[in-house]
């Protein structure tokens, strides 16, 4: 039995890196390993597994930013304890310095966040980004093994952070094939009925926070406004995500006469149910190390209109014709939406083929690959 110290903010079922970290912790515990979680929160079912020990770190005022130095100190402390016993440690990005393994889910040096915020909020955001970039550089250069979630992330880690390529291993995210899968005809009808849809109008999903322009909802909104002017376009946009800009976008939809065709769901626990009711997903992210929301949507059988630069795009075989190369204006998103709309059935079939390929690589496959990489760099 090997002891592992895993350091991250949360081991929960929401959020891309949180789900991935939860999957790794569950895999190690199921193998019979001793798993030490250094985090703010953890899934209740995970904590009930044999061998799992929680070292809870406070999060002052509910702020991850304020909790970051506490997490870093606790992670280093428990990392020393576990490695002194011959165990291993996995940290995430700049959250903790470790000479063992750093699992990178996002590269701060690759993207400077932008939003419509002003005043003190913008100052804090700018300061935090600079701090994250600095911490990331120190932590990644200290690690003898860096795991990345895509070749896009690998290139950023090497070129922007300065990590030697020989230390980097690419391990794609997995999935739960029993959860994220195409719905049956009956499940799709039920999902649409739950949303009050009694017709066959095509629906497109957007999943992401409405506070950071990184996710590209401003491009989606403008592209939808252009499409709505066309006599041949008849579709709904389903927006899943909360954030400070949500009220503003709702107001704009009303002003633009789009309130009937853009439905803002806000935060929802039932993302899969909404995906099952939809016919495509749109995600023109300006930066996306991977893009688990798109991954899960495609696993549910939805064609993805997404950025060609997103890490997940590397795995969307057969859907390359819907990828957007130019994100400087909404024209590229509008054009990709038109390509999908013109031949929806053909794109659905391609998405189902891609879904089968993605679902063949599970969370356990991913976790086992990470363990193998760690064993190779003992």
């Amino acid at each position: 039995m090997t002891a592992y110290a895993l350091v991250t903010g949360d081991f929960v079922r929401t959020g891309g890196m949180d789900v991935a970290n939860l999957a790794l912790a569950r895999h190690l515990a199921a193998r019979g390993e001793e798993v030490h979680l250094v985090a703010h929160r953890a899934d209740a079912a995970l904590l009930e597994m044999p061998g799992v020990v929680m070292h809870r770190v406070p999060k002052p005022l509910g702020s991850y930013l304020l909790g970051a130095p506490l997490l870093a100190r606790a992670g280093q402390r428990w990392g020393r304890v576990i490695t002194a016993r011959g165990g291993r440690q996995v940290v995430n990005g700049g959250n903790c310095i470790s000479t063992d393994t750093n699992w990178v889910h996002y590269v701060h040096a690759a993207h400077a966040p932008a939003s419509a915020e002003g005043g003190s909020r913008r100052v804090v955001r700018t300061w935090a980004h600079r701090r994250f970039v600095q911490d990331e550089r120190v932590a990644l250069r200290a690690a003898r093994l860096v795991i990345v979630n895509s070749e896009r992330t690998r290139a950023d880690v090497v070129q922007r952070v300065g990590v030697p390529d020989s230390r980097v291993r690419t391990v794609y995210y997995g999935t739960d094939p029993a959860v994220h899968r195409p719905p049956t005809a009956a499940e799709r009808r039920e999902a649409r009925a739950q949303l009050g849809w009694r017709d066959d109008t095509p629906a497109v999903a957007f999943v992401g926070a409405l506070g950071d322009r990184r996710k590209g909802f401003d491009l989606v909104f403008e592209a939808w406004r252009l499409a709505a002017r066309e006599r041949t376009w008849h579709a709904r946009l389903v927006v899943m995500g909360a954030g400070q800009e949500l009220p503003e976008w709702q107001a704009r939809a009303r002003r633009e006469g789009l309130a009937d065709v853009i439905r803002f769901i806000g935060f929802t626990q039932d993302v899969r149910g909404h995906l099952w009711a939809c016919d495509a997903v749109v995600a023109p992210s300006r930066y996306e190390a991977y893009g688990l929301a798109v991954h899960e949507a495609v696993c549910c059988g939805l064609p993805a209109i997404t950025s060609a630069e997103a890490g997940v795009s590397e795995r969307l075989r057969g859907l390359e014709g819907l990828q957007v190369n130019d994100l400087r204006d909404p024209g590229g998103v509008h054009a990709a939406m038109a390509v999908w709309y013109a031949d929806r059935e053909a794109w659905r079939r391609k998405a189902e083929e891609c879904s089968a390929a993605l679902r063949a690589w599970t969370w356990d496959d991913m976790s086992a690959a990470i363990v193998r990489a760690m064993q190779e760099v003992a």
Side-chain angles (χ1 to χ4, degrees):
M1 181 175 66
T2 302
Y4 289 82
L6 309 182
V7 185
T8 191
D10 300 316
F11 292 89
V12 295
R13 299 179 185 277
T14 55
M17 66 180 291
D18 300 335
V19 175
N21 277 292
L22 173 60
L24 176 60
R26 288 180 57 85
H27 175 82
L28 292 172
R31 285 167 51 114
E33 313 290 10
E34 181 182 331
V35 184
H36 292 258
L37 311 177
V38 184
H40 303 306
R41 296 187 297 161
D43 180 76
L46 173 62
L47 295 178
E48 293 176 357
M49 295 184 72
V52 175
V53 181
M54 178 69 176
H55 305 287
R56 195 175 304 278
V57 179
K59 189 168 62 173
L61 302 177
S63 169
Y64 287 101
L65 186 60
L66 295 178
L70 303 178
L71 183 67
R73 285 197 292 269
Q76 288 180 307
R77 182 171 67 253
W78 282 105
R80 288 192 295 268
V81 171
I82 298 304
T83 55
R85 295 170 45 198
R88 305 299 301 268
Q89 183 178 32
V90 180
V91 301
N92 282 202
N95 74 356
C96 183
I97 296 175
S98 172
T99 57
D100 195 338
T101 302
N102 194 310
W103 190 7
V104 180
H105 305 272
Y106 182 102
V107 182
H108 292 278
H111 178 75
S115 73
E117 295 175 332
S120 61
R121 289 183 181 275
R122 177 168 292 183
V123 172
V124 171
R125 182 185 287 268
T126 301
W127 174 85
H129 173 69
R130 290 174 180 170
R131 179 61 183 271
F132 293 154
V133 170
Q134 178 184 348
D135 292 346
E136 175 181 81
R137 182 178 295 111
V138 173
L140 267 62
R141 290 180 177 182
R144 66 178 182 267
L145 172 64
V146 177
I147 303 291
V148 296
N149 55 12
S150 68
E151 290 300 309
R152 161 66 197 263
T153 304
R154 184 186 196 118
D156 286 335
V157 162
V158 172
Q159 297 168 14
R160 297 177 182 271
V161 184
V163 177
D165 187 69
S166 59
R167 294 190 204 167
V168 185
R169 302 289 186 276
T170 301
V171 179
Y172 288 118
Y173 286 159
T175 196
D176 183 340
V179 173
H180 292 102
R181 57 174 176 78
T184 65
E187 288 169 334
R188 175 175 163 80
R189 286 194 300 271
E190 176 62 21
R192 290 177 71 88
Q194 287 292 325
L195 295 175
W197 300 348
R198 306 299 177 184
D199 55 31
D200 295 325
T201 301
V204 180
F206 173 89
V207 185
L210 301 178
D212 181 352
R213 294 294 174 89
R214 176 175 67 91
K215 292 294 186 179
F217 182 71
D218 55 317
L219 297 173
V220 175
F221 187 93
E222 292 300 326
W224 205 270
R225 189 167 63 85
L226 293 173
R229 296 175 179 173
E230 301 167 358
R231 294 175 57 187
T232 56
W233 181 267
H234 185 54
R236 296 185 180 95
L237 177 62
V238 181
V239 183
M240 288 173 272
Q244 294 178 347
E245 294 185 21
L246 175 57
E248 177 186 339
W249 287 116
Q250 291 173 316
R252 282 197 60 185
R254 290 191 294 270
R255 289 197 304 271
E256 299 282 351
L258 299 173
D260 291 339
V261 293
I262 301 181
R263 180 169 181 177
F264 293 92
I265 303 297
F267 176 79
T268 177
Q269 295 280 4
D270 187 24
V271 174
R272 188 190 69 169
H274 288 80
L275 292 176
W276 278 4
C278 290
D279 301 272
V281 62
V282 59
S285 298
R286 292 181 169 90
Y287 167 71
E288 197 71 82
Y290 187 75
L292 188 60
V294 172
H295 174 119
E296 292 175 346
V298 176
C299 284
C300 289
L302 273 61
I305 301 161
T306 190
S307 167
E309 295 298 316
V312 71
S313 67
E314 301 164 16
R315 305 181 70 192
L316 303 185
R317 302 293 174 82
L319 301 178
E320 293 89 348
L322 298 180
Q323 292 176 7
V324 183
N325 292 291
D326 188 351
L327 298 174
R328 290 174 296 180
D329 61 60
V333 180
H334 176 237
M337 283 166 38
V339 169
W340 162 74
Y341 192 84
D343 202 355
R344 299 189 296 280
E345 181 58 26
W347 288 112
R348 182 193 65 77
R349 291 194 297 269
K350 292 179 181 179
E352 289 193 348
E353 293 176 3
C354 189
S355 167
L358 290 178
R359 287 183 290 118
W361 179 254
T362 69
W363 286 120
D364 276 334
D365 292 325
M366 175 205 74
S367 300
I370 291 174
V371 172
R372 286 195 299 271
M374 294 178 68
Q375 291 171 341
E376 292 169 3
V377 186

